[in-house]
Amino acid sequence: KWKVSSLVLGNVSYTDAQLCSIFQTPVAGNGLIALAHQLIAAKLNIANGSNSAAISWAITAADALIGSLAIPPTGTGTLDPSLTSTLTQHLAIYNEGLIGPGHCE
């Protein structure tokens, strides 16, 4: 069970069930989905007590880039991977513990 019942991605709020469905949606060339996967993970890590200092700028930038796009399968939003890859990569290395507080024991 997650410590949150909803998260805001961009300007759109998603329930925990919707977040799970986004996680289960293959990226299939949609940079928005790839970014959402890493953004959800980062926000969940922070909700679980992880220090966000190393990544807060990327979270802010990702939310700004997503804006009002509705992430599949909840909506039909799409972004070219060339627009999202840098942010997706930064969020991924945070989620993998390579920057920030690292992995929990």
Side-chain angles (χ1 to χ4, degrees):
K1 181 83 174 137
W2 296 349
K3 291 194 177 216
V4 299
S5 58
S6 66
L7 286 175
V8 175
L9 306 176
N11 304 325
V12 181
S13 182
Y14 297 90
T15 66
D16 55 354
Q18 289 172 318
L19 294 167
C20 284
S21 69
I22 291 168
F23 260 141
Q24 295 171 355
T25 301
V27 172
N30 186 343
L32 176 60
I33 298 171
L35 181 60
H37 287 175
Q38 295 302 324
L39 184 58
I40 292 166
K43 288 187 174 190
L44 289 175
N45 283 329
I46 292 163
N48 281 322
S50 181
N51 185 317
S52 65
I55 203 69
S56 60
W57 68 271
I59 290 172
T60 299
D63 279 329
L65 184 59
I66 292 170
S68 295
L69 294 172
I71 302 163
T74 301
T76 58
T78 184
L79 286 171
D80 190 286
S82 67
L83 298 174
T84 61
S85 62
T86 298
L87 287 172
T88 300
Q89 180 182 7
H90 281 290
L91 292 166
I93 62 174
Y94 172 80
N95 291 327
E96 294 165 4
L98 301 176
I99 62 171
H103 281 292
C104 297
E105 294 300 321

